[in-house]
Amino acid sequence: MTRHARRCLGCIVAIDARCIGLHSQNQCFVALRREKEPPFFVTEPQPGPHVCWGDYSSRPIVPGDVFPHWMRHRGGLRWTKMLVSLWMEDLTTMPSSTWRCAWELPVDFTSAEPIGSHLAGQSHPANSVYIALEVDGALREYFRVGPELERAASADASLSLASGGPAEPSYARSTLECLLQCQKKVLHLLKERERLTARCAPALYDEAGLARKRSQQQVHIQLDQLRGTTKTRKKELENLREFMQIRQRDIESRREELHQGSIELTNTTSLSERARSTLEELQQTRADVQNDVTNQRARLTRDLDLIYHIQLEHARDLLYSIVALPLPNAVASTTKNASALVHKLPLEEVGSALAFVAQLVLLLSSYLHIPLPYPLTTVGSKAIVRDGISIMNGPRAFILHGRGTELYRYEYAVFLLNKNIEQLMNKCHVPVLDLRNTLPNLKNLLMTLSAASAT
C-alpha cells in the first residue's frame, strides 16, 4: 500500500472493457465521474464483447488539456478517487434501443493494486473494466474495476469480523487530559460571552433611544439627499432657462423669416399669375400665327401646284408630266443607252423636266424651312445637285442632264434628287412608297400640304 502511495500517478492512457455477456452487435461505453457530479469523461460507444479505447504506447486517450484541472497536479492525478460505470446497449426494446448501467463502483488508485503492464495471459472476470495509468512518468500499469472485486472486498471484511480480528485501539491518558483542557476552555468562553451580553444588554435593548437615533440619522441623510437634489434641480432649471431663451430667439428669427417668406411668396404668386396670363396670351398668339402660317403655307403650295403643274399622262405606266414635260419613273437616259426606261423621251425634255423638279424642291424647302441633305442649284433648264456626305473621289457636283454626262453620274444625280424629295416627305409625315417615282411622290406631297389645316 505504501509503495503505491509514493508513486506519481499520471494521465489515463487506455481503457479496456471485457463484457462477457455482450453480443457482437451490442455496444458499450465507460463513464468516469466524481461523487455527486456529472461525468467528466465518457468513451465513445463501440460494439463488444471486448472493447478498447486509447493508445497503449505513446498518445494519451485524449489530450491533457481536455481533462478538468483537478485531474492533474504536477503531471499526475490530483484526485485519485472516482466512480467508474459500465453502460451496455439493450436491444430487447426494439425498434429503439436503450442504455442500461451494468454497474457503477468507486475506485481509489492510490490504494488499488495494479495487475501489470499488459493484459495478455490473465483471466478476465465478466463485465470488468481495466484502466491504464502512467506511473512515475514512463511505466504504464493496469488497474481492474468490476463487481467481482467489490464482492471479494466485502467477503474479506466479513471474514475478518467473524474470525475476531484485531480490536480497535483505545484512547491514551494524554489524549483524555487534552480533551479535559479543551472542555475547560469552552466553559470559560461561554461564561465570558454571558458577561459581555449582560454589559451590552442595556444598550442593545434600549429600543426607543436606538430608534430615535436611527430616525435622526435617516432624517439627516434624507435632508442631505434633498439638498443635493435641490442643487441639481436648480442647475438643471438654469440650463433649461438658457435653452428656452435660445429657443425663443430662434423662434423670433424663424418668425421673421416666415414673414419675409410669405411676402416673397405673395410677390412670386402675383408674378406667376401675370406670367401665366402672358403665357396664355402668347400661346393664343402662337396658335393664331401657326394657323396663319399653315394657311399661308397651303396657299403657297397651291400656287406652286398651279405654277409647276403636275398631271398624269399614262395611268398604266404611272407616267406624270411637269409643266407639260413628261418625266419617267426611273433613271432618265437616252434612247440609245436606256437602263430601266419605259418611255424613251428626248434628253432635252427630260433635262428641262428635272430642272423644273429641282426648282420646285428648292421652293418647298424654303417655304417649309426644311434643309436639303443634297444642295440644289438651278440655272434655267439645267440643275446641279451636290453630294457632300458620301465618301468618293472626283467632283461632287452632278448635272441633272443626260447630254454630255457620263451615265452613272447622271443616274446618281437623279437618285440624289429623289433623296431630297424623300427628306421633304419624311419631315411632313407623308409616306414614300417608291423612291424612284419622282413626280408621283412630289404630286402626293403637294396635295397633302395644300389640304393641310391649322392644328
Side-chain angles (χ1 to χ4, degrees), residues 121-404:
Q122 299 189 22
S123 61
H124 305 289
N127 298 337
S128 299
V129 173
Y130 299 84
I131 300 177
L133 299 180
E134 279 188 355
V135 180
D136 295 334
L139 182 63
R140 292 173 173 79
E141 292 186 349
Y142 278 90
F143 295 82
R144 185 173 65 188
V145 183
E148 295 293 331
L149 292 178
E150 185 70 9
R151 286 194 291 269
S154 301
D156 292 339
S158 301
L159 181 61
S160 176
L161 292 175
S163 61
E168 294 292 333
S170 62
Y171 293 102
R173 178 182 179 85
S174 60
T175 305
L176 295 176
E177 290 178 352
C178 182
L179 180 59
L180 290 175
Q181 292 292 332
C182 292
Q183 289 180 351
K184 289 180 181 179
K185 289 182 180 179
V186 170
L187 292 176
H188 177 72
L189 291 174
L190 290 174
K191 291 180 180 179
E192 185 67 21
R193 189 188 68 176
E194 292 177 356
R195 186 178 63 82
L196 292 176
T197 302
R199 287 182 59 185
C200 298
L204 293 175
Y205 292 99
D206 187 9
E207 295 182 358
L210 291 176
R212 184 169 56 254
K213 289 181 180 179
R214 186 167 60 250
S215 63
Q216 288 178 357
Q217 291 177 357
Q218 292 178 355
V219 169
H220 285 301
I221 293 174
Q222 291 177 359
L223 183 59
D224 292 339
Q225 292 178 354
L226 290 174
R227 286 174 180 171
T229 306
T230 304
K231 183 183 288 186
T232 304
R233 292 292 186 268
K234 286 182 179 180
K235 189 173 181 179
E236 292 177 356
L237 183 60
E238 291 296 330
N239 294 335
L240 288 175
R241 285 176 180 171
E242 294 179 359
F243 182 75
M244 287 178 63
Q245 291 177 359
I246 295 173
R247 287 295 184 182
Q248 286 178 354
R249 289 194 294 269
D250 293 342
I251 290 172
E252 291 296 332
S253 61
R254 183 64 61 84
R255 186 179 290 113
E256 183 65 25
E257 291 177 358
L258 289 175
H259 180 65
Q260 295 294 333
S262 62
I263 294 175
E264 293 179 359
L265 179 60
T266 304
N267 297 334
T268 304
T269 303
S270 61
L271 290 175
S272 178
E273 292 295 334
R274 289 197 297 269
R276 186 179 290 107
S277 61
T278 304
L279 178 61
E280 291 176 356
E281 294 176 359
L282 291 176
Q283 287 178 348
Q284 184 62 35
T285 304
R286 176 178 173 273
D288 296 340
V289 171
Q290 187 175 3
N291 191 14
D292 295 340
V293 169
T294 303
N295 294 332
Q296 185 70 13
R297 184 174 295 167
R299 185 184 62 81
L300 291 174
T301 305
R302 287 192 293 271
D303 293 342
L304 289 177
D305 192 18
L306 291 175
I307 296 172
Y308 298 93
H309 185 60
I310 300 174
Q311 62 182 1
L312 181 64
E313 296 293 339
H314 197 283
R316 185 174 62 86
D317 296 330
L318 199 62
L319 178 65
Y320 279 79
S321 64
I322 181 170
V323 195
L325 294 175
L327 182 64
N329 296 321
V331 177
S333 60
T334 60
T335 55
K336 179 180 180 181
N337 297 320
S339 61
L341 187 62
V342 177
H343 296 272
K344 308 302 186 291
L345 301 173
L347 291 178
E348 288 78 7
E349 293 183 5
V350 175
S352 299
L354 290 174
F356 286 131
V357 170
Q359 294 176 11
L360 180 57
V361 170
L362 278 175
L363 292 174
L364 288 174
S365 172
S366 177
Y367 293 159
L368 298 176
H369 298 284
I370 299 175
L372 297 175
Y374 306 101
L376 292 169
T377 304
T378 60
V379 180
S381 61
K382 291 185 179 181
I384 298 174
V385 59
R386 298 180 180 275
D387 183 5
I389 301 175
S390 303
I391 299 175
M392 63 176 64
N393 295 325
R396 293 181 174 270
F398 300 89
I399 301 174
L400 287 166
H401 201 284
R403 188 177 295 279

